[in-house]
Amino acid sequence: MKYADEYRDKELAMGLARAIRAKAESGKAYRFMEFCGGHTHAIARYGLEDMLPDNVRMIHGPGCPVCVLPAGRIDMAIALAERSEVVLCVYGDLMRVPGSRGSSLLRAKARGADVRMVYSTLDAIALAEQNPGREVVFFAIGFETTTPPTAVMVRLADKKQLANFSVFCNHVLTPPAMRAILDSENPVEIDGFVGPAHVSTVIGTAPYEPFARDDGKPVVIAGFEPLDMMQAILMLIEQVNDGRHEVENQYRRAVTGSGNRRAIDEMAEIFELRDQFEWRGLGSIPSSALKLRPAFAHLDAELRFAMSELVVADNPACECPAILRGVKKPVDCRLFGNACTPETPVGSCMVSSEGACAAHWTYGRFRDHQRRLAS
């Protein structure tokens, strides 16, 4: 497989593992947070933590867009979908994300709500054109990666003058979430970040400079393949050993310093910052999410349907909030693998394949079993 197998070469991976072991100084701890859910999935899938020395630890961050959406926004979407005139368009992962009291869009659909899974923003546009007598709403989520397609969709809907189409906007931003992690009252100890891949193809490397310059946290942007991750970890260890804290770009085949200018400009024309936005696990973070600019207010579902902001408490037995902050691991949750599985998710981290709990359930729990047998 061209451009994939090259980054999964076993011998090269073993070589990088030897280099990491040689560079990691005994008596020193190296704690790196991978912010992106895709990285969390790659680490679990390829067993990368088993290739690292004991003093190099990976901490899963809040980089899964499905995981960080709070229960209140899910409840708002369910209430919207239960309106008789509404067709709610969502991506597949969102269907099973828990709202409050065990609710979900999938259960709302079972009760009769018109919730439809779509594969692209254009699918939602097509539904609106095919159903002129219904109100078609697109449930938009994601970091900077999925925001440009939503921006293109909004512009297209505006151009087509679709009177029965609107967007429930839940797009969030990466740098404010990283800031919230570092500024939290009881932050997890982090010696550096593996910067996200897809997000960085859009925003570039420049937005991470404050974390290196002001907080002394090195950042290495990495691709999703196992060799990408291993090389990024080696680069972070070298920075820590050298006392450097810089933004480095391991994923140079896709990421530039200034990012994708066309996508950035398109987002800026369609969206503006919200004053505050609630995140699952991180609380309310200022200037961390987007809403439609006034010029596109006629396409804003929150305004069209007079939606009220809901803030509801998470299930107190679920450790997703602590896992999203990197404070706990999936196995620290007493629900993991018992009440909470991919078939019966209690928390959002078990829903998406990029969630820390789902990744550990799919790959990591077998290694845990082997370790227990070995001990």
Side-chain angles (χ1 to χ4, degrees), residues 7 10 26 30 34 62 91 140 150 189 197 199 204 211-212 218 227 245 250 277 313-314 317-318 320 328 338 351:
Y7 300 98
K10 180 180 177 181
S26 60
Y30 302 86
E34 86 275 3
Y91 291 134
T150 303
E189 293 187 273
V199 164
F211 307 114
L227 294 190
H245 33 86
Q250 183 278 336
F277 192 80
D314 290 313
C318 174
C320 276
K328 292 188 176 181
N338 298 307
V351 176

Side-chain angles (χ1 to χ4, degrees), residues 121-354:
T121 55
L122 295 180
D123 290 345
I125 291 283
L127 267 174
E129 292 178 315
Q130 294 161 6
N131 296 274
R134 307 290 304 282
E135 286 283 348
V136 175
V137 182
F138 179 71
F139 190 170
I141 74 157
F143 289 92
E144 293 90 337
T145 314
T146 54
T147 307
T150 303
V152 171
M153 177 189 64
V154 169
R155 189 180 296 284
L156 181 60
D158 184 56
K159 182 179 179 181
K160 288 175 174 284
Q161 298 183 333
L162 286 177
N164 65 326
F165 182 80
S166 56
V167 178
F168 178 37
C169 184
N170 296 270
H171 284 299
V172 292
L173 303 174
T174 303
M178 295 175 72
R179 169 58 53 205
I181 290 286
L182 292 174
D183 292 347
S184 62
E185 289 186 3
N186 298 300
V188 63
E189 293 187 273
I190 297 172
D191 299 299
F193 288 100
V194 177
H198 286 154
V199 164
S200 302
T201 63
V202 176
I203 67 174
T205 63
Y208 308 110
E209 294 288 350
F211 307 114
R213 182 186 62 239
D214 303 334
D215 299 278
K217 304 297 182 186
V219 180
V220 176
I221 312 301
F224 290 115
E225 297 299 334
L227 294 190
D228 291 323
M229 290 297 299
M230 295 294 285
Q231 186 179 27
I233 292 168
L234 178 60
M235 293 166 71
L236 283 168
I237 290 173
E238 290 174 337
Q239 284 208 45
V240 172
N241 288 349
D242 296 343
R244 293 182 289 119
H245 33 86
E246 304 167 359
V247 177
E248 294 182 315
N249 184 10
Q250 183 278 336
Y251 200 30
R252 285 177 292 178
R253 64 185 184 277
V255 173
T256 65
S258 58
N260 184 329
R261 195 67 253 168
R262 184 174 179 181
I264 292 171
D265 290 344
E266 186 73 11
M267 289 190 293
E269 289 184 23
I270 302 296
F271 299 104
E272 63 182 13
L273 288 174
R274 292 178 185 267
D275 293 335
Q276 295 281 338
F277 192 80
E278 186 76 17
W279 292 58
R280 193 184 293 252
L282 302 181
S284 183
I285 305 176
S287 304
S288 65
L290 301 173
K291 63 179 180 180
L292 294 176
R293 288 190 176 279
F296 301 97
H298 56 290
L299 296 171
D300 189 333
E302 290 182 68
L303 298 177
R304 179 176 298 191
F305 298 99
M307 298 171 70
S308 299
E309 190 73 33
L310 293 176
V311 178
V312 298
D314 290 313
N315 184 328
C318 174
E319 296 285 8
C320 276
I323 292 168
L324 289 167
R325 295 194 303 274
V327 176
K328 292 188 176 181
K329 295 181 176 181
V331 292
D332 295 329
C333 179
R334 59 190 172 90
L335 301 182
F336 178 82
N338 298 307
C340 186
T341 69
E343 288 73 31
T344 57
V346 177
S348 60
C349 295
M350 189 60 91
V351 176
S352 168
S353 63
E354 294 187 354

Side-chain angles (χ1 to χ4, degrees), residues 80-87 114 133-137 164 305:
L80 185 61
E82 289 178 335
R83 296 176 67 121
S84 60
E85 73 273 30
V86 167
V87 177
D114 197 346
R134 307 290 304 282
E135 286 283 348
V136 175
V137 182
N164 65 326
F305 298 99

Side-chain angles (χ1 to χ4, degrees), residues 46-66:
Y46 296 105
L48 301 186
E49 285 183 302
D50 292 345
M51 301 176 73
L52 303 177
D54 291 340
N55 60 336
V56 178
R57 178 190 164 205
M58 301 307 296
I59 301 168
H60 310 315
C64 167
V66 171

Side-chain angles (χ1 to χ4, degrees), residues 90-143:
V90 304
Y91 291 134
D93 281 356
L94 271 176
M95 298 284 283
R96 297 188 305 129
V97 177
S100 65
R101 301 183 298 279
S103 61
S104 71
L105 286 167
L106 189 61
R107 292 185 176 182
K109 182 178 176 66
R111 292 194 299 268
D114 197 346
V115 182
R116 304 194 193 184
M117 189 175 73
V118 295
Y119 293 98
S120 77
T121 55
L122 295 180
D123 290 345
I125 291 283
L127 267 174
E129 292 178 315
Q130 294 161 6
N131 296 274
R134 307 290 304 282
E135 286 283 348
V136 175
V137 182
F138 179 71
F139 190 170
I141 74 157
F143 289 92

